[in-house]
Amino acid sequence: MAGDDPQADKTKPVMLILVGAPGSGKTTFCNDVMSADRRPWVRICQDTIANGKAGTKQQCLKSAAEALKDDKSVFIDRCNLEQEQRADFVKLGRTQADVHAMVLNLPARLCISRSVKRTGHEGNLQGGKAAAVVNRMMQKKELPKLSEGFCRITFCLNEKDVKEAVDAYIALGPSDSLPSGIFGQKSEDAKVQLGIMKFLKKVEIPKNVPPNENSQVSAAKRESKGDVSCSMELEKGCNKNGTAEDEFCGKSVVGDCSRDDFHTLAFPSISTSDFQFNHEKASDIITEVVADFLNKVDNVRLILVDLSHKSRILSLVRAKAAKKHIDSNKFLTHVGDITRLHTEGGLHCNVIANAANWRLKPGGGGVNAAIFKAAGEALEIATKQHAETLSPGNSVVIPLPSNSPLHQREGVTHVIHVLGPNMNPQRPNCLNNDYVQGGKVLRDAYTSLFENFASISRSKLNQKIQKESNRKSSTGYSDNRCDLAKDTTCDHTSENVQKAKREISHEYEKNKKCKGLPSGFDSKDELMEHDCVGSSIRSKSSSFSAKHDDNRNESSVPTSMLEEKVHTHQKISEESKRSWGSWAQALHQIAMHPEKHKDVILEMSDEFVVLNDLYPKARKHLLVLSRASGLDTLADARREHLPLLKAMHSAGLKLAEKLYTDDAFMMFRLGYHSVPSLQQLHLHVISQDFDSPHLKNKKHWNSFTTAFFRDSADVIEEIEKSGRATLNDDEKLLLMELRCHRCKSAHPNIPRLKSHIANCKTSFPSSLIQNGRLVFASMKAAA
DNA sequence: GTTCTAGAAC
DNA sequence: GTTCTAGAAC
């Protein structure tokens, strides 16, 4: 079995892929190492592979595979300057070998002069032609990265470096291995190497290699027995302990994290440091919550980070994660500085968690101080914009502005502040050894953290999906649509449209006959056409009628937004399709005759149109209006409408992204009113600032902030499961007391509420964070 | 959906 | 006296 046979460990071969222009000395390098004859090496050279003549890449791959099968180490002696040229070799090698790169990044001048001088070169690249070829190749050069699947990369910039590298590989006996990481880069890259060396500090200088002043290329031998204190992912990258981990070689976190479709959260252990939470108990909770989360969510990776090799929490978690068979591709531990995961650890973690304090202030030492320091003022400002305090068991996402050093240097796009329970009597709110409560709070903290992370990840994935769907559907769009994806000024455009609409509206408001003007209802003709005087009668009761099944299970009604469960006794309605007042048909008219409303339509497809809400209840408030005939409200939606609902949802997400403005970390919700006032199914895409003069009364507020508002994601899920959406259509919902949608505080009237929400920075309730209900619109800044 | 306004609340 | 709500009309 994997890892059981120490002999097998000893013979694990190396695939060394040389990277360098003609004349850089690749062949010489191979010959020098092979001359020492300390392990069986085979040199695969494309220039000679076909019976001494130039062959194909396939032939090289075949020969390499055969050599590896015989447990021989191989040199891939071809230029390999571009990633694509190396990829197949890496793929082949990493299943059975440690894949290294040797970059002979010598000055082009030197390579050219060697090429020009040489005679009888295998590749027949001689004379004056060489200069042009070398120059061209150098231009296309892509230096190898760990993320390609290498577990070790050595850069040689001059002949001295080459000599040292040769010595390192000469010293590599059959049972030796070289440490993982990047070696030999100068200037800023030196840090990379340092970091790697730091967390691989158990390396030893191998026998037969004299100590070298350039430790970067000094060969080192890793302890062959499980070096638990080493960073797991890199350790695994080249571990010799068996095939299960061999699988992992070259497929390190580094590689996967850098892929667009993979999102990685690095997080410190919460509460186990200064807050003195019992490590044994904490490790149980971490593994439990992690396992649960990873069962639910794909395309994400979690990395628990601690500074010390001696970290007890890391070893406990590692052991428990292994016991629980948590996928080691998705959950890893790492020893290192969470603020230098990329530069020192070679890891790409787009999201990091911070063990914050309740005031969300910098300082205090530990991870919190380090992250605030590394992220600079940008994080402080962004944090203040988002939340002022945090309660234990909660977390809050802060999109990290692109001017933050942590963003620029480490590629971190979001910091999630988390607050766990405090067990330290020296600190505020100590739980006095109450591990029942403490355990709950810690579990909540991790759950909140991971859910927040997932919502970021979802947004990113949605972007991708939308890009695809845009490509597919763009041909179906009308000519007059405003392509938000292309036009960054479109925001203004749509506002202009709206402004124009308001002006039109204003004109008609002068006409006492038509006081109200529904959203998007614009031309005079249209108004007249639809009988402003009112041909149909709408009673109060009919405005709340809905043709949905009243017998649904009330227990399934989500009440997360409510302080108390509201019953539906006051529901009026039911039996027949409601009648719509003339003013209530405006959206319907637009949907049925979009060609007559080109001036308000921002975007159009066969399935829906997008327009600004004429009376926006927030800074950004748009409608994605279904064009399906007969689909008046959410109550009418059935399984057959799922493709439409999903397309509308996707359009809504796209809008949320495009509507991002620099001065606000805008968050959106996408959803439907349980009982809409206007005919024709329409999805609200509304920013959560609710900063608008049009938000005037209790009904406005409650229709967007109570369970009356049905999140699109939930609606889709419910229809998928049960064939219809749950409607929370109790009138009481709209008459409820006015409560802040963030901190849930109650306010006596709308003006007071509005002045409160203008300043409330409390993080959004976790119920909104779940299931992607809250959409982050600042991804553009983060990208 | 909005507007208007009487009268309640402060 | 002023602010705010809620019902009615559209």
Side-chain angles (χ1 to χ4, degrees):
Chain A
M1 204 191 89
D4 285 347
D5 181 7
Q7 287 304 113
D9 288 349
K10 287 186 179 176
T11 55
K12 187 171 179 185
V14 168
M15 174 187 271
L16 180 62
I17 298 180
L18 289 120
V19 178
S24 59
K26 299 184 294 296
T27 302
T28 309
F29 182 97
C30 300
N31 289 338
D32 287 352
V33 174
M34 288 166 82
S35 67
D37 204 23
R38 281 190 41 87
R39 67 156 64 193
W41 284 101
V42 173
R43 174 173 156 256
I44 311 283
C45 175
Q46 192 163 330
D47 289 333
T48 57
I49 197 154
N51 290 325
K53 292 184 177 169
T56 63
K57 184 177 164 188
Q58 285 311 316
Q59 288 173 306
C60 295
L61 284 162
K62 189 165 169 263
S63 295
E66 283 166 7
L68 292 173
K69 208 171 157 191
D70 292 341
D71 283 331
K72 288 176 179 161
S73 293
V74 292
F75 291 114
I76 306 299
D77 179 4
R78 56 205 289 279
C79 293
N80 297 312
L81 286 169
E82 293 169 54
Q83 183 177 340
E84 199 186 331
Q85 295 164 346
R86 304 184 284 262
D88 288 334
F89 291 96
V90 175
K91 194 175 159 194
L92 167 72
R94 70 188 195 185
T95 57
Q96 47 205 313
D98 291 349
V99 183
H100 298 188
M102 177 60 59
V103 185
L104 300 176
N105 200 11
L106 277 68
R109 207 164 9 104
L110 180 61
C111 299
I112 292 166
S113 80
R114 280 179 184 168
S115 297
V116 170
K117 280 180 200 161
R118 82 174 64 173
T119 53
H121 174 259
E122 291 156 344
N124 198 26
L125 186 64
Q126 303 163 36
K129 206 171 77 176
V133 171
V134 170
N135 275 328
R136 199 170 56 238
M137 289 177 97
M138 293 294 236
Q139 278 171 6
K140 284 188 168 179
K141 179 175 68 179
E142 296 168 336
L143 292 178
K145 299 185 287 287
L146 290 175
S147 57
E148 289 174 37
F150 293 107
C151 51
R152 180 187 169 94
I153 301 172
T154 309
F155 289 91
C156 297
L157 300 179
N158 53 47
E159 290 178 80
K160 180 168 170 276
D161 291 348
V162 177
K163 173 75 173 59
E164 287 164 356
V166 166
D167 288 345
Y169 278 87
I170 282 177
L172 196 63
S175 60
D176 297 325
S177 63
L178 291 168
S180 305
I182 297 174
F183 298 83
Q185 274 179 304
K186 300 297 183 206
S187 62
E188 77 273 25
D189 297 328
K191 287 177 189 166
V192 174
Q193 182 273 328
L194 256 177
I196 302 264
M197 292 306 282
K198 207 157 79 186
F199 69 69
L200 288 172
K201 66 183 179 189
K202 288 207 171 185
V203 294
E204 293 166 4
I205 302 298
K207 299 159 208 152
N208 307 324
V209 177
N212 191 318
E213 79 270 11
N214 181 358
S215 64
Q216 293 170 352
V217 285
S218 292
K221 177 185 161 190
R222 198 174 52 235
E223 284 188 352
S224 60
K225 294 288 169 193
D227 180 4
V228 289
S229 67
C230 279
S231 112
M232 190 186 275
E233 70 290 337
L234 282 177
E235 189 66 12
K236 276 185 167 182
C238 294
N239 207 322
K240 299 188 165 195
N241 286 347
T243 51
E245 294 190 334
D246 290 348
E247 263 295 299
F248 210 87
C249 184
K251 205 177 77 173
S252 71
V253 170
V254 182
D256 284 346
C257 291
S258 66
R259 291 194 337 223
D260 287 345
D261 56 351
F262 241 100
H263 300 283
T264 303
L265 167 73
F267 65 102
S269 172
I270 305 297
S271 290
T272 48
S273 178
D274 195 35
F275 283 176
Q276 301 180 356
F277 197 99
N278 176 284
H279 286 207
E280 192 71 51
K281 291 186 168 79
S283 59
D284 282 336
I285 290 169
I286 293 170
T287 46
E288 243 171 63
V289 183
V290 164
D292 190 42
F293 176 71
L294 292 178
N295 274 337
K296 291 190 292 194
V297 182
D298 289 326
N299 291 328
V300 294
R301 196 192 305 274
L302 306 174
I303 306 181
L304 177 65
V305 181
D306 200 353
L307 264 178
S308 166
H309 291 272
K310 292 173 188 160
S311 166
R312 179 145 179 270
I313 190 75
L314 279 200
S315 6
L316 284 168
V317 167
R318 229 182 334 247
K320 286 173 185 174
K323 213 170 171 183
K324 274 181 178 274
H325 304 293
I326 296 177
D327 184 349
S328 60
N329 284 307
K330 289 182 167 184
F331 178 51
L332 308 114
T333 60
H334 173 75
V335 177
D337 181 347
I338 198 164
T339 68
R340 306 194 74 88
L341 290 171
H342 177 57
T343 48
E344 292 191 357
L347 302 172
H348 292 267
C349 300
N350 53 324
V351 185
I352 63 171
N354 175 34
N357 51 47
W358 74 275
R359 286 180 192 278
L360 295 173
K361 295 273 190 234
V367 171
N368 184 62
I371 289 179
F372 270 103
K373 190 176 170 207
E377 207 187 1
L379 177 62
E380 278 184 61
I381 295 167
T383 300
K384 274 180 199 154
Q385 281 180 297
H386 257 77
E388 272 168 358
T389 61
L390 192 60
S391 55
N394 278 306
S395 68
V396 58
V397 177
I398 311 296
L400 192 57
S402 49
N403 61 348
S404 164
L406 199 54
H407 192 145
Q408 289 168 358
R409 193 189 63 215
E410 307 291 328
V412 174
T413 61
H414 294 74
V415 172
I416 306 179
H417 296 303
V418 200
L419 186 61
N422 173 33
M423 296 301 186
N424 181 354
Q426 311 286 315
R427 298 275 175 268
N429 302 318
C430 174
L431 288 174
N432 291 322
N433 224 28
D434 178 358
Y435 272 97
V436 176
Q437 180 62 15
K440 186 186 170 299
V441 176
L442 189 61
R443 198 169 279 114
D444 286 350
Y446 281 113
T447 306
S448 168
L449 166 64
F450 296 156
E451 275 168 359
N452 259 326
F453 167 57
S455 64
I456 298 169
S457 172
R458 257 194 297 271
S459 286
K460 290 234 175 198
L461 285 173
N462 279 326
Q463 285 179 336
K464 262 193 92 143
I465 292 161
Q466 275 159 34
K467 274 179 199 157
E468 306 259 322
S469 87
N470 287 350
R471 267 202 297 278
K472 284 180 199 159
S473 64
S474 59
T475 49
Y477 279 35
S478 77
D479 292 334
N480 66 314
R481 83 193 159 109
C482 168
D483 190 344
L484 293 170
K486 275 190 279 184
D487 184 0
T488 52
T489 64
C490 199
D491 206 3
H492 301 280
T493 312
S494 52
E495 274 177 8
N496 290 341
V497 169
Q498 171 151 343
K499 194 178 163 193
K501 292 296 18 150
R502 282 198 190 114
E503 281 162 13
I504 295 165
S505 154
H506 184 66
E507 258 187 59
Y508 285 93
E509 276 159 17
K510 287 180 193 163
N511 178 351
K512 291 293 171 190
K513 226 174 167 185
C514 307
K515 287 174 184 168
L517 189 69
S519 155
F521 207 119
D522 60 329
S523 77
K524 187 175 178 176
D525 292 347
E526 286 298 309
L527 283 168
M528 294 311 167
E529 189 180 324
H530 296 293
D531 186 10
C532 206
V533 188
S535 57
S536 60
I537 301 153
R538 188 173 64 90
S539 68
K540 183 181 169 192
S541 66
S542 70
S543 76
F544 266 78
S545 67
K547 61 156 201 174
H548 67 278
D549 183 1
D550 197 25
N551 296 325
R552 65 185 184 275
N553 184 358
E554 276 190 28
S555 66
S556 69
V557 177
T559 53
S560 55
M561 299 288 295
L562 299 171
E563 296 298 321
E564 54 183 315
K565 184 163 179 174
V566 180
H567 299 279
T568 55
H569 300 309
Q570 285 199 359
K571 212 167 40 183
I572 313 165
S573 83
E574 279 73 87
E575 63 300 331
S576 63
K577 202 144 181 162
R578 66 194 260 196
S579 61
W580 299 90
S582 57
W583 57 266
Q585 295 172 21
L587 288 182
H588 180 70
Q589 293 306 325
I590 292 171
M592 295 301 114
H593 308 286
E595 69 286 351
K596 293 184 186 171
H597 301 272
K598 286 181 178 173
D599 52 347
V600 289
I601 291 173
L602 304 177
E603 196 177 308
M604 182 161 94
S605 75
D606 292 340
E607 295 173 293
F608 57 79
V609 295
V610 174
L611 58 158
N612 273 313
D613 194 302
L614 185 62
Y615 298 98
K617 302 303 183 294
R619 283 184 205 163
K620 302 290 176 190
H621 183 183
L622 293 95
L623 303 177
V624 181
L625 174 64
S626 152
R627 294 182 62 190
S629 175
L631 184 58
D632 288 348
T633 75
L634 190 54
D636 304 324
R638 294 292 180 271
R639 284 205 176 90
E640 70 209 67
H641 301 115
L642 277 170
L644 167 68
L645 296 173
K646 286 178 181 174
M648 288 168 68
H649 182 87
S650 175
L653 286 170
K654 190 181 106 186
L655 290 166
E657 281 156 26
K658 296 298 166 197
L659 292 171
Y660 164 75
T661 53
D662 259 333
D663 61 343
F665 294 104
M666 228 172 227
M667 309 220 194
F668 284 80
R669 277 178 84 188
L670 279 52
Y672 301 88
H673 282 152
S674 287
V675 184
S677 299
L678 299 175
Q679 182 186 8
Q680 196 66 21
L681 184 73
H682 53 281
L683 173 71
H684 290 271
V685 178
I686 184 164
S687 62
Q688 295 298 295
D689 47 79
F690 295 111
D691 175 12
S692 164
H694 298 287
L695 198 159
K696 292 174 175 172
N697 60 44
K698 196 174 249 190
K699 185 180 170 185
H700 291 156
W701 178 254
N702 283 335
S703 72
F704 288 103
T705 59
T706 69
F708 185 85
F709 187 82
R710 298 303 337 278
D711 289 281
S712 171
D714 293 338
V715 162
I716 289 169
E717 205 173 287
E718 286 161 12
I719 296 176
E720 273 174 345
K721 273 188 194 151
S722 68
R724 60 187 61 199
T726 303
L727 304 183
N728 298 323
D729 50 1
D730 188 341
E731 269 188 280
K732 271 186 186 167
L733 285 168
L734 299 181
L735 300 173
M736 277 172 65
E737 60 194 341
L738 298 167
R739 282 191 180 274
C740 170
H741 60 314
R742 298 175 77 126
C743 71
K744 297 288 162 198
S745 59
H747 300 270
N749 53 47
I750 288 286
R752 297 270 286 274
L753 172 75
K754 288 178 94 171
S755 65
H756 167 81
I757 58 171
N759 297 306
C760 181
K761 304 286 188 216
T762 305
S763 55
F764 282 90
S766 56
S767 59
L768 280 191
I769 290 155
Q770 289 157 8
N771 208 23
R773 292 174 187 124
L774 202 58
V775 178
F776 298 87
S778 52
M779 308 310 296
K780 203 157 121 190

